[in-house]
Amino acid sequence: MIARITGAVLRGSMVALLFATPALILPASVTTSPEITLFIALLAAALVVTEYAAHFPSFVEFRNAPPINRLRFAMAVAVIGGLSLLMAHPLAPTGLTALVQQLAHWLGGQLDFAYSPVQLTMLMLPQQVPLDTVVMVRNAAALAATLTATATGIFALVIRFGHWPIGNGPFNVWVNLPLFDPTTGGDVVQRLQRDGRINIIGGVLLPFALPAAVQMTAGWVGPALLPSPQMLIWIAGGWALVPASMVMRGMAMLRIAGLIAQKRRAACRDEAEEDALQTA
């Protein structure tokens, strides 16, 4: 019990630090409402501690199936930290911020092609926005998209070569998918496959749909309503993190569905061999 509570507190502290990262990296002159940031960080930490300290799961999926949640958290740290360094470069440049800015600028140029999600994020901005802001949005979107795509590719390699999740022992559907009820609806394998495909399709389309939805409201959005650097970090981060998390969840559910179907086929073969021996 002590080890479980200690691990829960450690996870909660790391989540709180993640939410406080932009405020810690950006200069104090541009950080707004530090009390709100502190409240959100403490609230997120309390939720994580409560979930991981409990015996029974409630809402966190794949709690006992590493490394998917660890990879998601590392992806969020890389995205939020990278975007914070990118936004801090014009305000308080350092060697590290300059390196991140050069990398993001190069990625922005490479990913700024016709109909790409990065280009759509630029087109959704009002025409009155200064060019520097447009370039900053492009670089932020390109950096976030590259980091999340890399994390998604790593998880695909973990599934393919790491034999996830059976490499960590038996997989308990109830513990790792607390929001999925296997007793309702149709066949479990078909439901998992359907939900997995829906998550993957939604995760792929979401980076295209969000800028289009914002562009539809361009008549009501003016330059004065453009977000601050701290807000832009969370907008660009959410734009990339949510779809990537959906794709990873879909990949995991398809993998679990495949394992259940494989186990069923093995059980059917065993039953057929046993019937054949009894008949003989």
Side-chain angles (χ1 to χ4, degrees), residues 112-225:
D112 183 12
F113 54 87
Y115 305 109
S116 70
V118 173
Q119 188 183 76
L120 292 178
T121 59
M122 299 167 57
L123 296 177
M124 74 177 182
L125 299 175
Q127 296 181 355
Q128 301 87 352
V129 175
L131 180 60
D132 293 342
T133 303
V134 176
V135 174
M136 179 65 73
V137 171
R138 184 200 68 176
N139 296 344
L143 179 63
T146 302
L147 292 174
T148 53
T150 302
T152 305
I154 292 174
F155 182 60
L157 294 177
V158 170
I159 293 177
R160 178 65 178 84
F161 299 104
H163 304 290
W164 182 90
I166 56 177
N168 301 314
F171 182 86
N172 190 314
V173 177
W174 177 65
V175 172
N176 292 292
L177 292 174
L179 303 180
F180 179 82
D181 188 359
T183 62
T184 61
D187 183 70
V188 174
V189 174
Q190 294 180 355
R191 290 178 55 203
L192 286 172
Q193 291 176 342
R194 179 196 62 194
D195 292 349
R197 294 188 183 104
I198 290 175
N199 276 270
I200 292 177
I201 294 173
V204 172
L205 295 180
L206 199 58
F208 298 90
L210 288 179
V214 174
Q215 192 175 11
M216 292 175 61
T217 63
W220 297 278
V221 178
L225 299 178

Side-chain angles (χ1 to χ4, degrees), residues 18-19 71-81 83 140-141 143-149 151-152 203 206-207 210 233-249:
L18 170 64
F19 279 90
L71 188 57
R72 283 174 169 177
F73 180 77
M75 176 178 65
V77 170
V79 170
I80 300 303
L83 292 177
L143 179 63
T146 302
L147 292 174
T148 53
T152 305
L206 199 58
L210 288 179
I233 291 171
W234 291 110
I235 292 176
W239 169 80
L241 288 171
V242 173
S245 181
M246 291 177 62
V247 172
M248 294 172 66
R249 183 177 187 270

